[in-house]
Amino acid sequence: MMWTIIFPVLNERLRLEKGIVTTVEYLAAIGFEDYEIWIVDNGSEDETPDIAAGLCARYPGVRYERIDVRGVGAAFRRGLELAGGEIVGYMDIDLSTNIRHLGEAIRLFEEDGELQYINGSRFAAESDTRGRKWYRRFTSRGLLILLKVFLRMRCTDAICGFTFVRRETALSLAEAGSRDNGWFYMIEFLLRAERRGVKILDYPVEWQEDYNTTVKIFKTACNYIRQIARLFWEFNVRKHI
């Protein structure tokens, strides 16, 4: 069963090499060879392209694609278009989610032919989240409350940075979804899967805060509120008009 692992990146000269090398070495250590890694660069202005080129030359399973639109959503959709694997998903290049969970996800998909979607969660009861700053914990919890109240989300997290889906399911969800380019696209992706009755494993993870994140919290929060309103209209109002 071939896997496609997508790493959306933007100005990641400090973390790109470590993230890719750690992933490749981990997969080699567990004896898993049937994979491809796509580095999808959504507009880097630093040395990211040069570092990616070196990684592609060094590792046959690593590939690089640059797109002209910024945003994780745009990068994920492009990676999905390029994917050749039966399982496709994305991870954050900082590997905040412990790399061992990748091997566990591979095993889970192999053992359960009906499993369609693994959603990494920082907030499940069994999760181990470390180093989370209080204000980021506050905003994340606030987002979850809004998603559960207004959009009836059932999973315990929406954007952990660790998501894997069977390719056919992922393509179908992408076709039905919006063209939002940012992080909220991944939330919408999960919500549409829930509404379709896709078999989702809400998967507890060990997760370490990355203090060098480039996420702009206030701007991101305002966008999330607008996007929640859009989906609430689509899911609960427009269908009754």
Side-chain angles (χ1 to χ4, degrees), residues 173-235:
L173 292 170
E175 183 178 359
S178 72
R179 305 305 290 178
D180 179 72
N181 292 327
W183 271 106
F184 194 85
Y185 181 81
M186 302 313 304
I187 300 174
E188 178 180 344
F189 193 81
L190 173 63
L191 290 167
R192 291 187 183 279
E194 286 189 338
R195 290 175 68 84
R196 285 192 182 188
V198 170
K199 184 175 180 180
I200 302 171
L201 175 61
D202 195 49
Y203 180 65
V205 297
E206 180 182 322
W207 193 88
Q208 174 68 50
E209 173 77 76
D210 175 19
Y211 293 118
N212 293 316
T213 179
T214 58
V215 175
K216 297 178 175 61
I217 294 177
F218 181 76
K219 181 179 179 180
T220 300
C222 291
N223 177 60
Y224 284 175
I225 291 171
R226 289 194 297 270
Q227 297 288 5
I228 288 171
R230 173 181 63 82
L231 281 186
F232 180 81
W233 174 267
E234 178 183 341
F235 291 170

Side-chain angles (χ1 to χ4, degrees), residues 12-25:
E12 292 288 4
R13 65 181 180 84
L14 297 178
R15 300 183 289 193
L16 178 57
E17 183 168 4
K18 180 180 179 181
I20 296 299
V21 171
T22 299
T23 302
V24 170
E25 290 182 350

Side-chain angles (χ1 to χ4, degrees), residues 2 8 16-17 30 33 37 45 49 52 56 58 72 76 80 82 95 101 107 119 147 152 179-180 195-196 203 207 214:
M2 183 174 177
L16 178 57
E17 183 168 4
I30 65 172
E33 300 178 347
I37 293 174
E45 298 174 343
C56 291
R58 184 174 170 186
V72 171
F76 177 76
L80 182 55
L82 296 166
L95 298 181
H101 295 310
R107 175 180 56 80
N119 175 62
L147 292 172
R152 301 178 184 176
R179 305 305 290 178
D180 179 72
R195 290 175 68 84
R196 285 192 182 188
Y203 180 65
W207 193 88
T214 58

Side-chain angles (χ1 to χ4, degrees), residues 26-83:
Y26 173 77
L27 290 169
I30 65 172
F32 189 76
E33 300 178 347
D34 198 7
Y35 70 89
E36 60 180 3
I37 293 174
W38 277 101
I39 303 168
V40 184
D41 182 351
N42 55 108
S44 292
E45 298 174 343
D46 62 0
E47 298 87 352
T48 292
D50 296 332
I51 297 170
L55 291 165
C56 291
R58 184 174 170 186
Y59 300 113
V62 177
R63 293 149 193 181
Y64 174 77
E65 175 82 356
R66 184 179 176 91
I67 61 176
D68 296 328
V69 180
R70 288 196 173 189
V72 171
F76 177 76
R77 286 196 301 273
R78 182 54 181 154
L80 182 55
E81 292 171 353
L82 296 166

